[in-house]
Amino acid sequence: MKCISKRRRPQAVILALALGLTMTAGGCAGTQTAVVTEYETEQYNRSLQEGSLLSEGLCVAESDVALEGYAGTEGVTSEGLFDLSGETVLYGSSIHERLYPASVTKIMTALLALENGSLEDEVTISQNAAADSFPSDASLIGLRQGEVWSLEDLLYALLLRSGNDAATAIAEYVDGTEAAFVERMNARAAELMANNTHYVNPHGLHDDNHYTTAYDIYLIFNACIQNEEFVKIIGTASHTAQYRNPDGSAGETVIEPTNWYASGAADLPSNMTVVGGKTGTTGEAGNCLVLLNETSEGNRYISIVMGAPDRPVLYKDMTAMIETVK
């Protein structure tokens, strides 16, 4: 089902209407009404056309979508299955409900890095981005102040290992400060029509004002997979990052994915190839996962599970949902 979001009436129209009311009192109502009507009709039609163009090629649903023979798993907050080739939402459960994204946030961080940076650029790690600036139980790659990493290796640390320290380093690289980068994140979400998303940080550590929806995650992830480098990174089983230590000596670390499908900790779906994806876990968000999947015919699907009570349930539910596609 396709839908077009309603847009606010342009300020120029409001001003024109106000002028029209003023001129009515002076005896020129007919002329002003005609001008306002002509302007508003033109702009309204333009908004409809713009909305149609923006949603073209997307899977659009204004409400949840049932899937025959599949009821999901009790305890999971939200799920969605999106057929990219057919431009159809195959299944949606609470896909417009606001929820906490945890480290799924990092897909937006990666998107902005790829759109605004060069992979070969060198990034010097600040104290703010160093691992010892984060809670001890946070997901980290172990950055130290003064290390020098390439943006490419930081992206592997961000998307495979889900390093919160890598997210901050990338944010500072792109915009100088986390605060400026978060502004960019929210602006980009608006451009992608992810209207129920609001970011507070680049990594997804919990904040009550940091939220999204499963449908918005689909919109953002769909934009990410248009970038070949992003798809390459999320589909990598292991990556060796090379960097410079603060004293100038060489260092390296092996980065492996947190995704259980990639590590072999979860059985793969029988009907599709899991290309790759992004995990996320906090106490408030539960266990979350967004995936890009592909059939042997080359048809692509995005699948999302949010708020699973634990990882076994997360992957069991994800596999069951993917395997509904025949």
Side-chain angles (χ1 to χ4, degrees):
M1 176 169 53
K2 299 283 184 181
C3 64
I4 300 172
S5 299
K6 295 181 181 178
R7 296 174 177 265
R8 291 183 178 179
R9 180 174 292 178
Q11 292 297 321
V13 174
I14 296 173
L15 178 59
L17 288 171
L19 288 172
L21 290 173
T22 302
M23 294 302 294
T24 300
C28 300
T31 301
Q32 292 300 319
T33 299
V35 170
V36 170
T37 301
E38 179 182 356
Y39 179 87
E40 187 164 17
T41 300
E42 177 188 349
Q43 296 301 317
Y44 181 67
N45 289 339
R46 182 182 301 170
S47 293
L48 286 176
Q49 183 180 35
E50 288 174 354
S52 178
L53 288 172
L54 286 171
S55 62
E56 186 175 353
L58 295 175
C59 309
V60 181
E62 57 188 358
S63 59
D64 284 351
V65 177
L67 181 58
E68 186 177 353
Y70 180 74
T73 298
E74 187 176 351
V76 171
T77 304
S78 178
E79 299 175 293
L81 181 61
F82 304 85
D83 177 357
L84 304 188
S85 301
E87 299 177 9
T88 304
V89 181
L90 297 179
Y91 176 60
S93 173
S94 300
I95 57 173
H96 295 294
E97 178 181 335
R98 287 185 178 179
L99 44 80
Y100 301 126
S103 286
V104 174
T105 297
K106 296 182 175 91
I107 62 174
M108 175 61 87
T109 302
L111 176 64
L112 294 178
L114 290 165
E115 290 179 341
N116 297 282
S118 298
L119 294 176
E120 67 275 8
D121 281 359
E122 293 188 333
V123 180
T124 301
I125 307 306
S126 71
Q127 179 54 51
N128 188 47
D132 58 13
S133 295
F134 290 83
S136 59
D137 60 346
S139 179
L140 302 165
I141 194 64
L143 300 180
R144 294 181 299 154
Q145 182 179 8
E147 288 180 347
V148 179
W149 285 59
S150 69
L151 177 61
E152 182 177 22
D153 284 338
L154 285 174
L155 283 167
Y156 278 96
L158 178 83
L159 292 171
L160 293 187
R161 184 64 186 86
S162 200
N164 294 309
D165 44 356
T168 294
I170 288 170
E172 292 180 340
Y173 156 79
V174 173
D175 277 312
T177 66
E178 281 187 288
F181 186 78
V182 168
E183 289 184 10
R184 188 188 294 270
M185 294 173 76
N186 286 314
R188 191 70 177 98
E191 290 174 358
L192 294 171
M193 299 184 293
N195 298 320
N196 286 306
T197 292
H198 182 258
Y199 295 111
V200 173
N201 60 60
H203 38 65
L205 287 177
H206 180 73
D207 188 292
D208 286 348
N209 292 316
H210 188 100
Y211 54 79
T212 188
T213 67
Y215 185 74
D216 283 5
I217 290 169
Y218 149 70
L219 292 174
I220 298 163
F221 193 68
N222 186 59
C224 288
I225 63 174
Q226 308 311 310
N227 188 294
E228 292 182 2
E229 190 65 30
F230 180 89
V231 175
K232 173 187 171 184
I233 293 172
I234 64 172
T236 301
S238 179
H239 176 76
T240 300
Q242 298 180 333
Y243 56 90
R244 291 202 306 275
N245 289 304
D247 63 4
S249 62
E252 69 175 36
T253 187
V254 177
I255 303 172
E256 297 181 341
T258 57
N259 180 350
W260 276 15
Y261 289 125
S263 67
D267 292 334
L268 292 165
S270 60
N271 59 332
M272 291 193 206
T273 297
V274 174
V275 177
K278 184 71 197 74
T279 60
T281 305
T282 63
E284 295 82 3
N287 293 267
C288 310
L289 180 62
V290 52
L291 293 177
L292 171 63
N293 314 286
E294 191 170 278
T295 66
S296 57
E297 295 79 21
N299 297 323
R300 285 181 159 188
Y301 296 79
I302 290 174
S303 54
I304 300 169
V305 176
M306 305 294 290
D310 54 45
R311 287 190 180 184
V313 168
L314 174 68
Y315 287 90
K316 179 180 179 181
D317 199 60
M318 179 66 82
T319 296
M321 181 169 60
I322 293 171
E323 289 184 340
T324 62
V325 178
K326 305 301 182 185

